[in-house]
């Protein structure tokens, strides 16, 4: 079947620290991969995506590379800010079957000044 | 542009009752999906509607059903409520075309509590 596994949270970092949130997936085909973010009091929103192996998605200083050989899509940021405090969700979906997304359980990040 | 609107924000129901949740997508979006969010399971896909037709369905019992109207607004119904149905129900709309993936735009959800 299809599933996504994320590292357990919560994660607490100091401002300007390096962030990695691990995400691995199991899929029956060749999915597109996504990171969604939920800021406090807001709905989930797309952070970045990658549609094929070796693609790198990037946005707001965050990056993730689609690694087919390790079935991973780890989220990284070189220097986090307090405003990055949120819950991050890794997800996969297949482009030929409509909008059926498989989400991980989410990783809560708190950045302290 | 107005975002995805879900009503009501909160619901408290008793076991055995039924409930209807409503979702108004972003104008022009034809795809509406529903997800159940719980602390232990994360987001789980319920179903997706596109142009009034169910395009995808997740692994939920038949007590969970939905529909989409000609204006793309969608409703989700849960019959014979169980305690385990307590969750945050999220609606997401997308402008992805036929068979295509579009980024999901989520509402703030309806918090359902079953007592």
């Amino acid at each position: 079947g299809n599933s996504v596994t994320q590292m357990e949270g919560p994660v607490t970092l100091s401002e300007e620290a390096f962030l990695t949130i691990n995400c691995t997936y199991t899929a029956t085909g060749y999915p597109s991969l996504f990171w969604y973010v939920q800021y406090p009091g807001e709905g989930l929103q797309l952070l970045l995506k990658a549609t094929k192996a070796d693609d790198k998605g990037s946005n707001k200083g965050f990056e993730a590379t689609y690694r087919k050989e390790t079935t991973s899509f780890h989220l990284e940021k070189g220097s986090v800010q307090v405003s990055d405090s949120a819950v991050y969700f890794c997800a996969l979906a297949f482009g030929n079957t409509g909008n059926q997304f498989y989400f991980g359980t989410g990783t809560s990040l708190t950045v302290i000044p | 542009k107005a975002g995805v609107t879900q009503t009501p924000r909160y619901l408290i129901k008793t076991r055995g009752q039924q409930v209807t949740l409503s979702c108004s997508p972003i104008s022009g979006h034809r795809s509406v999906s529903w997800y159940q969010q719980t602390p232990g399971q994360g987001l789980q896909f319920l179903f997706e509607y596109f142009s009034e037709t169910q395009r995808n369905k997740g692994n939920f019992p038949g007590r969970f059903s939905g529909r989409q109207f000609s204006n793309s607004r969608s409703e989700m119904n849960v019959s014979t409520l169980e305690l385990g149905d307590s969750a945050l129900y999220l609606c997401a709309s997308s402008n992805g075309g036929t068979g295509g993936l579009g980024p999901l735009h989520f509402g703030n959800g309806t918090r359902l509590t079953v007592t």
Side-chain angles (χ1 to χ4, degrees):
Chain A
N2 302 306
S3 65
V4 173
T5 302
Q6 285 182 240
M7 64 183 284
E8 294 280 335
V11 175
T12 302
L13 294 174
S14 297
E15 207 165 21
E16 299 183 4
F18 184 86
L19 168 71
T20 299
I21 300 178
N22 290 336
C23 170
T24 57
Y25 68 90
T26 302
T28 52
Y30 301 99
S32 295
L33 302 175
F34 305 80
W35 278 99
Y36 277 80
V37 59
Q38 186 172 33
Y39 297 105
E42 299 182 19
L44 279 87
Q45 56 188 274
L46 177 66
L47 179 60
L48 55 83
K49 69 176 183 180
T51 57
K52 61 183 187 298
D54 299 325
D55 269 2
K56 178 185 284 188
S58 61
N59 186 24
K60 299 182 179 181
F62 290 89
E63 292 182 341
T65 301
Y66 189 142
R67 302 286 188 200
K68 184 181 169 189
E69 64 276 11
T70 54
T71 61
S72 64
F73 193 55
H74 305 320
L75 183 68
E76 297 182 334
K77 186 174 186 182
S79 176
V80 293
Q81 305 300 311
V82 172
S83 57
D84 294 326
S85 298
V87 182
Y88 293 82
F89 293 86
C90 186
L92 70 82
F94 295 92
N96 59 345
T97 59
N99 289 307
Q100 179 169 0
F101 282 66
Y102 299 84
F103 283 87
T105 53
T107 302
S108 175
L109 169 67
T110 299
V111 180
I112 55 178
Chain B
K1 223 175 193 180
V4 177
T5 304
Q6 291 188 246
T7 56
R9 288 297 308 276
Y10 302 92
L11 270 175
I12 300 176
K13 291 287 187 179
T14 304
R15 270 181 301 175
Q17 288 186 313
Q18 68 95 27
V19 67
T20 299
L21 283 55
S22 180
C23 172
S24 293
I26 290 173
S27 177
H29 286 191
R30 295 161 65 190
S31 166
V32 174
S33 307
W34 289 89
Y35 289 83
Q36 182 193 67
Q37 185 177 14
T38 57
Q41 300 292 318
L43 278 83
Q44 292 191 286
F45 175 78
L46 282 153
F47 29 66
E48 181 209 8
Y49 287 87
F50 182 82
S51 294
E52 302 180 63
T53 300
Q54 188 179 84
R55 184 158 69 173
N56 286 290
K57 187 177 190 308
N59 295 322
F60 278 80
R63 300 185 297 108
F64 292 81
S65 63
R67 59 178 175 169
Q68 186 180 34
F69 302 95
S70 58
N71 61 358
S72 292
R73 191 177 71 84
S74 178
E75 288 183 347
M76 189 191 100
N77 186 76
V78 188
S79 62
T80 319
L81 284 166
E82 301 177 0
L83 294 179
D85 297 334
S86 295
L88 180 67
Y89 289 88
L90 294 171
C91 170
S93 74
S94 170
N95 61 0
T98 304
L101 274 179
L104 299 179
H105 298 262
F106 283 87
N108 286 327
T110 293
R111 173 75 62 185
L112 172 65
T113 301
V114 182
T115 62

